[in-house]
Amino acid sequence: MAVKNNWTHVGNGLHKASMLSAIMLATGIFSSPAAHAGAIREVLANEDSILVKFDGAVNKASVFTLAGPNRIALDILGGTTDKGTSLAGGPVSNVRLGQFSFDTARVVFDLATPALVTGGYFSADGRSLKINLRRAVASEFSSAMGRGKINFLPPALFRSKPPKKRYEVTAPIGRASQRGMPKIYGPSDPTLPLVVVDAGHGGHDPGAISPHGGKREKEVTLAIAKSIRDELVKTGRIRVALTRDTDRFLVLQDRFGIARKMKADLFISVHADAAGSEQANGATVYTLSETASDREAQKLAARENKSDIINGVNLGGADANVSSILIDLTQRETMNVSADFAKLLIRESKPNMRLRSNSHRFASFVVLKAPDTPSVLFETGYLTNAKDVAFLSSRAGQRRVGQSVASAIQVHFARKLASR
Ligand code: ZN
């Protein structure tokens, strides 16, 4: 039987938080923690999951376990605890909640029997967090203790800004619609086509690693994405933005989400593959299809789609929603445009770089699932092949890939203009 709880405070954090608030109000030099925070509205613990609902955007959630007595603690960065209800159930005997620090809300779940967090995700709108639970034996629980925190991130578009550091003066920011969006390079004319280039992987996700010198896919893709950007800027007729221009991790939804939010005319995700055989070489262009063109393409899509799952925790969230996007008419039209662009990209790459036979393939890549943005995934070569990795890691090679992509893009938009 579930027990209804009122909020109870954890430790003396709340007292400190109130003191801080008072200082903040008195000095007026930084905003109150609630200004950019989401309040926890509801916490529900069940047999196999915990659901936390917020009334606004939060920045991040992390979970860890504590023994003696057994507990699961959940910290919500950019969260507050001023209102809401909780319901214990399943292995959770009691729910307690308090403001751990001025920028972090903490929920503690007292456990009647040992239980482990096996994963979880934020909803697509960032307003709820589901954490998966599994009852465990004592030895499993104690070995989980050493694993540290498990982090969950809301989709970037619905993530609150990280809480302000104390004493930081709030500076005016740009237009609200552009907040958090990448910089646009090239001409400032908004009627010119916009291309979003996505450097695959990044941060804690290295992607493929080369057996020849240890080059990591995330570095190669970033260098190539920058080269594509530079070549596009040279044309003077195309605007371009990068999903990332540093070594950082982005979930797949955020990658195409940026392209959609910016109303991009084209989205290109750059990768470099790995194969069992060191002989495999050359580039392949992939476009979206619910049925893969071949088994190899299907396996590659499964590998690339895994980018969101780290240590069994799905960082992408709302996975089911994305993978169940129905191919409606809009998407069909988008897929046709994507396929046309893929053919152009192959044509323009041929003189510049090695391509595989059968170089246009199809599979169900999550990163290509924007229903309204023509998208291709460009596997520029194999990091397992010595010649490919040397080419893709060299400035000259990167420039040739950049030139191939830029000229395909120019022809693509020239055709579009002509057909109007
Ligand atoms: Zn990749």
Side-chain angles (χ1 to χ4, degrees), residues 294-322:
D294 51 286
R295 243 193 100 56
E296 201 189 326
Q298 189 185 349
K299 277 172 147 174
L300 173 71
R303 275 206 303 282
E304 296 290 9
N305 293 346
K306 256 194 204 126
S307 166
D308 280 355
I309 302 167
I310 301 293
N311 299 331
V313 177
N314 186 355
L315 299 158
D319 207 30
N321 293 343
V322 180

PDB file of all heavy atoms in Angstrom, residues 294-322:
ATOM      1  N   ASP A 294      20.404  -2.808 -46.482  1.00  0.00           N
ATOM      2  CA  ASP A 294      21.143  -4.059 -46.332  1.00  0.00           C
ATOM      3  C   ASP A 294      21.454  -4.262 -44.856  1.00  0.00           C
ATOM      4  O   ASP A 294      21.290  -3.357 -44.050  1.00  0.00           O
ATOM      5  CB  ASP A 294      22.447  -4.022 -47.159  1.00  0.00           C
ATOM      6  CG  ASP A 294      23.274  -2.781 -46.877  1.00  0.00           C
ATOM      7  OD1 ASP A 294      22.895  -1.674 -47.345  1.00  0.00           O
ATOM      8  OD2 ASP A 294      24.279  -2.884 -46.169  1.00  0.00           O
ATOM      9  N   ARG A 295      21.906  -5.441 -44.525  1.00  0.00           N
ATOM     10  CA  ARG A 295      22.158  -5.788 -43.121  1.00  0.00           C
ATOM     11  C   ARG A 295      23.240  -4.914 -42.497  1.00  0.00           C
ATOM     12  O   ARG A 295      23.137  -4.513 -41.344  1.00  0.00           O
ATOM     13  CB  ARG A 295      22.592  -7.255 -43.028  1.00  0.00           C
ATOM     14  CG  ARG A 295      21.578  -8.019 -42.244  1.00  0.00           C
ATOM     15  CD  ARG A 295      21.934  -9.378 -41.769  1.00  0.00           C
ATOM     16  NE  ARG A 295      22.344  -9.474 -40.376  1.00  0.00           N
ATOM     17  CZ  ARG A 295      21.639  -9.069 -39.333  1.00  0.00           C
ATOM     18  NH1 ARG A 295      20.482  -8.458 -39.480  1.00  0.00           N
ATOM     19  NH2 ARG A 295      22.093  -9.243 -38.103  1.00  0.00           N
ATOM     20  N   GLU A 296      24.232  -4.604 -43.293  1.00  0.00           N
ATOM     21  CA  GLU A 296      25.343  -3.798 -42.794  1.00  0.00           C
ATOM     22  C   GLU A 296      24.856  -2.398 -42.405  1.00  0.00           C
ATOM     23  O   GLU A 296      25.225  -1.869 -41.360  1.00  0.00           O
ATOM     24  CB  GLU A 296      26.385  -3.704 -43.900  1.00  0.00           C
ATOM     25  CG  GLU A 296      27.760  -3.348 -43.416  1.00  0.00           C
ATOM     26  CD  GLU A 296      28.683  -3.060 -44.581  1.00  0.00           C
ATOM     27  OE1 GLU A 296      28.528  -3.707 -45.635  1.00  0.00           O
ATOM     28  OE2 GLU A 296      29.514  -2.170 -44.432  1.00  0.00           O
ATOM     29  N   ALA A 297      23.996  -1.823 -43.259  1.00  0.00           N
ATOM     30  CA  ALA A 297      23.437  -0.497 -42.986  1.00  0.00           C
ATOM     31  C   ALA A 297      22.593  -0.538 -41.718  1.00  0.00           C
ATOM     32  O   ALA A 297      22.639   0.374 -40.884  1.00  0.00           O
ATOM     33  CB  ALA A 297      22.599  -0.026 -44.172  1.00  0.00           C
ATOM     34  N   GLN A 298      21.849  -1.633 -41.562  1.00  0.00           N
ATOM     35  CA  GLN A 298      21.002  -1.788 -40.378  1.00  0.00           C
ATOM     36  C   GLN A 298      21.852  -1.849 -39.110  1.00  0.00           C
ATOM     37  O   GLN A 298      21.531  -1.220 -38.097  1.00  0.00           O
ATOM     38  CB  GLN A 298      20.196  -3.076 -40.548  1.00  0.00           C
ATOM     39  CG  GLN A 298      19.115  -3.259 -39.498  1.00  0.00           C
ATOM     40  CD  GLN A 298      18.428  -4.614 -39.662  1.00  0.00           C
ATOM     41  OE1 GLN A 298      18.624  -5.315 -40.661  1.00  0.00           O
ATOM     42  NE2 GLN A 298      17.634  -4.967 -38.681  1.00  0.00           N
ATOM     43  N   LYS A 299      22.954  -2.597 -39.176  1.00  0.00           N
ATOM     44  CA  LYS A 299      23.847  -2.730 -38.019  1.00  0.00           C
ATOM     45  C   LYS A 299      24.506  -1.392 -37.698  1.00  0.00           C
ATOM     46  O   LYS A 299      24.658  -1.037 -36.529  1.00  0.00           O
ATOM     47  CB  LYS A 299      24.937  -3.759 -38.309  1.00  0.00           C
ATOM     48  CG  LYS A 299      24.496  -5.191 -38.064  1.00  0.00           C
ATOM     49  CD  LYS A 299      25.588  -6.093 -38.573  1.00  0.00           C
ATOM     50  CE  LYS A 299      25.752  -7.377 -37.801  1.00  0.00           C
ATOM     51  NZ  LYS A 299      26.754  -8.219 -38.495  1.00  0.00           N
ATOM     52  N   LEU A 300      24.891  -0.647 -38.730  1.00  0.00           N
ATOM     53  CA  LEU A 300      25.509   0.658 -38.518  1.00  0.00           C
ATOM     54  C   LEU A 300      24.522   1.589 -37.827  1.00  0.00           C
ATOM     55  O   LEU A 300      24.875   2.276 -36.863  1.00  0.00           O
ATOM     56  CB  LEU A 300      25.962   1.266 -39.850  1.00  0.00           C
ATOM     57  CG  LEU A 300      26.467   2.709 -39.729  1.00  0.00           C
ATOM     58  CD1 LEU A 300      27.810   2.759 -39.009  1.00  0.00           C
ATOM     59  CD2 LEU A 300      26.577   3.374 -41.081  1.00  0.00           C
ATOM     60  N   ALA A 301      23.268   1.619 -38.296  1.00  0.00           N
ATOM     61  CA  ALA A 301      22.252   2.484 -37.682  1.00  0.00           C
ATOM     62  C   ALA A 301      22.089   2.124 -36.217  1.00  0.00           C
ATOM     63  O   ALA A 301      22.006   2.995 -35.351  1.00  0.00           O
ATOM     64  CB  ALA A 301      20.930   2.367 -38.431  1.00  0.00           C
ATOM     65  N   ALA A 302      22.093   0.834 -35.910  1.00  0.00           N
ATOM     66  CA  ALA A 302      21.944   0.402 -34.512  1.00  0.00           C
ATOM     67  C   ALA A 302      23.122   0.924 -33.692  1.00  0.00           C
ATOM     68  O   ALA A 302      22.938   1.384 -32.564  1.00  0.00           O
ATOM     69  CB  ALA A 302      21.874  -1.121 -34.450  1.00  0.00           C
ATOM     70  N   ARG A 303      24.324   0.891 -34.259  1.00  0.00           N
ATOM     71  CA  ARG A 303      25.504   1.389 -33.542  1.00  0.00           C
ATOM     72  C   ARG A 303      25.423   2.892 -33.329  1.00  0.00           C
ATOM     73  O   ARG A 303      25.660   3.386 -32.235  1.00  0.00           O
ATOM     74  CB  ARG A 303      26.778   1.098 -34.343  1.00  0.00           C
ATOM     75  CG  ARG A 303      27.373  -0.261 -34.143  1.00  0.00           C
ATOM     76  CD  ARG A 303      28.884  -0.282 -34.430  1.00  0.00           C
ATOM     77  NE  ARG A 303      29.276   0.168 -35.745  1.00  0.00           N
ATOM     78  CZ  ARG A 303      29.187  -0.558 -36.847  1.00  0.00           C
ATOM     79  NH1 ARG A 303      28.662  -1.765 -36.808  1.00  0.00           N
ATOM     80  NH2 ARG A 303      29.583  -0.084 -38.006  1.00  0.00           N
ATOM     81  N   GLU A 304      25.101   3.619 -34.400  1.00  0.00           N
ATOM     82  CA  GLU A 304      25.046   5.083 -34.282  1.00  0.00           C
ATOM     83  C   GLU A 304      23.909   5.511 -33.338  1.00  0.00           C
ATOM     84  O   GLU A 304      24.059   6.465 -32.587  1.00  0.00           O
ATOM     85  CB  GLU A 304      24.857   5.737 -35.652  1.00  0.00           C
ATOM     86  CG  GLU A 304      26.013   5.510 -36.625  1.00  0.00           C
ATOM     87  CD  GLU A 304      27.302   6.243 -36.249  1.00  0.00           C
ATOM     88  OE1 GLU A 304      27.377   6.796 -35.142  1.00  0.00           O
ATOM     89  OE2 GLU A 304      28.230   6.232 -37.075  1.00  0.00           O
ATOM     90  N   ASN A 305      22.784   4.811 -33.384  1.00  0.00           N
ATOM     91  CA  ASN A 305      21.657   5.169 -32.521  1.00  0.00           C
ATOM     92  C   ASN A 305      21.984   4.944 -31.049  1.00  0.00           C
ATOM     93  O   ASN A 305      21.358   5.529 -30.174  1.00  0.00           O
ATOM     94  CB  ASN A 305      20.405   4.381 -32.907  1.00  0.00           C
ATOM     95  CG  ASN A 305      19.889   4.766 -34.282  1.00  0.00           C
ATOM     96  OD1 ASN A 305      20.308   5.783 -34.839  1.00  0.00           O
ATOM     97  ND2 ASN A 305      18.987   3.980 -34.822  1.00  0.00           N
ATOM     98  N   LYS A 306      22.968   4.092 -30.784  1.00  0.00           N
ATOM     99  CA  LYS A 306      23.367   3.787 -29.401  1.00  0.00           C
ATOM    100  C   LYS A 306      24.101   4.936 -28.741  1.00  0.00           C
ATOM    101  O   LYS A 306      24.322   4.912 -27.538  1.00  0.00           O
ATOM    102  CB  LYS A 306      24.265   2.553 -29.395  1.00  0.00           C
ATOM    103  CG  LYS A 306      23.532   1.330 -28.924  1.00  0.00           C
ATOM    104  CD  LYS A 306      24.505   0.220 -28.590  1.00  0.00           C
ATOM    105  CE  LYS A 306      23.786  -1.105 -28.699  1.00  0.00           C
ATOM    106  NZ  LYS A 306      24.453  -2.043 -29.571  1.00  0.00           N
ATOM    107  N   SER A 307      24.504   5.919 -29.524  1.00  0.00           N
ATOM    108  CA  SER A 307      25.250   7.052 -29.003  1.00  0.00           C
ATOM    109  C   SER A 307      24.576   7.676 -27.776  1.00  0.00           C
ATOM    110  O   SER A 307      25.237   8.210 -26.900  1.00  0.00           O
ATOM    111  CB  SER A 307      25.399   8.088 -30.113  1.00  0.00           C
ATOM    112  OG  SER A 307      25.813   9.308 -29.589  1.00  0.00           O
ATOM    113  N   ASP A 308      23.241   7.583 -27.717  1.00  0.00           N
ATOM    114  CA  ASP A 308      22.508   8.164 -26.590  1.00  0.00           C
ATOM    115  C   ASP A 308      22.551   7.295 -25.342  1.00  0.00           C
ATOM    116  O   ASP A 308      22.171   7.726 -24.273  1.00  0.00           O
ATOM    117  CB  ASP A 308      21.037   8.372 -26.964  1.00  0.00           C
ATOM    118  CG  ASP A 308      20.841   9.628 -27.778  1.00  0.00           C
ATOM    119  OD1 ASP A 308      21.827  10.357 -27.961  1.00  0.00           O
ATOM    120  OD2 ASP A 308      19.715   9.871 -28.215  1.00  0.00           O
ATOM    121  N   ILE A 309      22.960   6.038 -25.500  1.00  0.00           N
ATOM    122  CA  ILE A 309      22.893   5.130 -24.357  1.00  0.00           C
ATOM    123  C   ILE A 309      24.286   4.907 -23.797  1.00  0.00           C
ATOM    124  O   ILE A 309      25.136   4.298 -24.411  1.00  0.00           O
ATOM    125  CB  ILE A 309      22.239   3.796 -24.767  1.00  0.00           C
ATOM    126  CG1 ILE A 309      20.843   4.076 -25.334  1.00  0.00           C
ATOM    127  CG2 ILE A 309      22.167   2.852 -23.581  1.00  0.00           C
ATOM    128  CD1 ILE A 309      20.231   2.903 -26.042  1.00  0.00           C
ATOM    129  N   ILE A 310      24.533   5.477 -22.631  1.00  0.00           N
ATOM    130  CA  ILE A 310      25.834   5.359 -21.992  1.00  0.00           C
ATOM    131  C   ILE A 310      25.624   4.614 -20.679  1.00  0.00           C
ATOM    132  O   ILE A 310      24.754   4.977 -19.888  1.00  0.00           O
ATOM    133  CB  ILE A 310      26.429   6.759 -21.711  1.00  0.00           C
ATOM    134  CG1 ILE A 310      26.569   7.555 -23.018  1.00  0.00           C
ATOM    135  CG2 ILE A 310      27.762   6.650 -20.990  1.00  0.00           C
ATOM    136  CD1 ILE A 310      27.574   7.035 -24.021  1.00  0.00           C
ATOM    137  N   ASN A 311      26.388   3.581 -20.459  1.00  0.00           N
ATOM    138  CA  ASN A 311      26.245   2.750 -19.256  1.00  0.00           C
ATOM    139  C   ASN A 311      24.804   2.300 -19.037  1.00  0.00           C
ATOM    140  O   ASN A 311      24.318   2.286 -17.921  1.00  0.00           O
ATOM    141  CB  ASN A 311      26.719   3.510 -18.008  1.00  0.00           C
ATOM    142  CG  ASN A 311      28.176   3.884 -18.123  1.00  0.00           C
ATOM    143  OD1 ASN A 311      28.939   3.179 -18.783  1.00  0.00           O
ATOM    144  ND2 ASN A 311      28.566   4.983 -17.511  1.00  0.00           N
ATOM    145  N   GLY A 312      24.118   2.013 -20.112  1.00  0.00           N
ATOM    146  CA  GLY A 312      22.750   1.519 -20.000  1.00  0.00           C
ATOM    147  C   GLY A 312      21.734   2.604 -19.694  1.00  0.00           C
ATOM    148  O   GLY A 312      20.556   2.332 -19.539  1.00  0.00           O
ATOM    149  N   VAL A 313      22.183   3.853 -19.601  1.00  0.00           N
ATOM    150  CA  VAL A 313      21.257   4.941 -19.317  1.00  0.00           C
ATOM    151  C   VAL A 313      20.976   5.686 -20.619  1.00  0.00           C
ATOM    152  O   VAL A 313      21.886   6.129 -21.301  1.00  0.00           O
ATOM    153  CB  VAL A 313      21.854   5.922 -18.288  1.00  0.00           C
ATOM    154  CG1 VAL A 313      20.915   7.097 -18.053  1.00  0.00           C
ATOM    155  CG2 VAL A 313      22.114   5.194 -16.993  1.00  0.00           C
ATOM    156  N   ASN A 314      19.712   5.770 -20.942  1.00  0.00           N
ATOM    157  CA  ASN A 314      19.360   6.450 -22.189  1.00  0.00           C
ATOM    158  C   ASN A 314      19.321   7.949 -21.972  1.00  0.00           C
ATOM    159  O   ASN A 314      18.431   8.482 -21.342  1.00  0.00           O
ATOM    160  CB  ASN A 314      18.009   5.950 -22.680  1.00  0.00           C
ATOM    161  CG  ASN A 314      17.684   6.513 -24.048  1.00  0.00           C
ATOM    162  OD1 ASN A 314      18.434   7.335 -24.575  1.00  0.00           O
ATOM    163  ND2 ASN A 314      16.594   6.062 -24.620  1.00  0.00           N
ATOM    164  N   LEU A 315      20.324   8.639 -22.483  1.00  0.00           N
ATOM    165  CA  LEU A 315      20.406  10.085 -22.288  1.00  0.00           C
ATOM    166  C   LEU A 315      19.491  10.826 -23.245  1.00  0.00           C
ATOM    167  O   LEU A 315      19.182  11.986 -23.049  1.00  0.00           O
ATOM    168  CB  LEU A 315      21.847  10.554 -22.519  1.00  0.00           C
ATOM    169  CG  LEU A 315      22.870   9.937 -21.572  1.00  0.00           C
ATOM    170  CD1 LEU A 315      24.257  10.014 -22.168  1.00  0.00           C
ATOM    171  CD2 LEU A 315      22.829  10.630 -20.237  1.00  0.00           C
ATOM    172  N   GLY A 316      19.077  10.157 -24.296  1.00  0.00           N
ATOM    173  CA  GLY A 316      18.263  10.823 -25.302  1.00  0.00           C
ATOM    174  C   GLY A 316      16.840  11.049 -24.847  1.00  0.00           C
ATOM    175  O   GLY A 316      16.219  12.026 -25.193  1.00  0.00           O
ATOM    176  N   GLY A 317      16.328  10.134 -24.038  1.00  0.00           N
ATOM    177  CA  GLY A 317      14.959  10.267 -23.584  1.00  0.00           C
ATOM    178  C   GLY A 317      13.977  10.132 -24.724  1.00  0.00           C
ATOM    179  O   GLY A 317      14.349  10.159 -25.883  1.00  0.00           O
ATOM    180  N   ALA A 318      12.720   9.962 -24.387  1.00  0.00           N
ATOM    181  CA  ALA A 318      11.623   9.930 -25.363  1.00  0.00           C
ATOM    182  C   ALA A 318      11.998   9.162 -26.630  1.00  0.00           C
ATOM    183  O   ALA A 318      11.577   9.482 -27.714  1.00  0.00           O
ATOM    184  CB  ALA A 318      11.205  11.349 -25.724  1.00  0.00           C
ATOM    185  N   ASP A 319      12.788   8.133 -26.430  1.00  0.00           N
ATOM    186  CA  ASP A 319      13.279   7.327 -27.545  1.00  0.00           C
ATOM    187  C   ASP A 319      12.124   6.762 -28.363  1.00  0.00           C
ATOM    188  O   ASP A 319      12.136   6.785 -29.579  1.00  0.00           O
ATOM    189  CB  ASP A 319      14.114   6.190 -26.974  1.00  0.00           C
ATOM    190  CG  ASP A 319      15.170   5.723 -27.962  1.00  0.00           C
ATOM    191  OD1 ASP A 319      15.621   6.564 -28.766  1.00  0.00           O
ATOM    192  OD2 ASP A 319      15.479   4.553 -27.949  1.00  0.00           O
ATOM    193  N   ALA A 320      11.137   6.269 -27.641  1.00  0.00           N
ATOM    194  CA  ALA A 320      10.003   5.621 -28.301  1.00  0.00           C
ATOM    195  C   ALA A 320       9.302   6.598 -29.243  1.00  0.00           C
ATOM    196  O   ALA A 320       8.952   6.252 -30.364  1.00  0.00           O
ATOM    197  CB  ALA A 320       9.033   5.104 -27.261  1.00  0.00           C
ATOM    198  N   ASN A 321       9.132   7.834 -28.781  1.00  0.00           N
ATOM    199  CA  ASN A 321       8.470   8.840 -29.623  1.00  0.00           C
ATOM    200  C   ASN A 321       9.216   9.046 -30.924  1.00  0.00           C
ATOM    201  O   ASN A 321       8.624   9.091 -31.981  1.00  0.00           O
ATOM    202  CB  ASN A 321       8.415  10.190 -28.910  1.00  0.00           C
ATOM    203  CG  ASN A 321       7.504  10.138 -27.714  1.00  0.00           C
ATOM    204  OD1 ASN A 321       6.702   9.214 -27.608  1.00  0.00           O
ATOM    205  ND2 ASN A 321       7.626  11.097 -26.833  1.00  0.00           N
ATOM    206  N   VAL A 322      10.537   9.172 -30.798  1.00  0.00           N
ATOM    207  CA  VAL A 322      11.330   9.454 -31.988  1.00  0.00           C
ATOM    208  C   VAL A 322      11.273   8.281 -32.947  1.00  0.00           C
ATOM    209  O   VAL A 322      11.049   8.438 -34.135  1.00  0.00           O
ATOM    210  CB  VAL A 322      12.796   9.754 -31.620  1.00  0.00           C
ATOM    211  CG1 VAL A 322      13.594  10.035 -32.872  1.00  0.00           C
ATOM    212  CG2 VAL A 322      12.850  10.934 -30.688  1.00  0.00           C
TER     213      VAL A 322
END
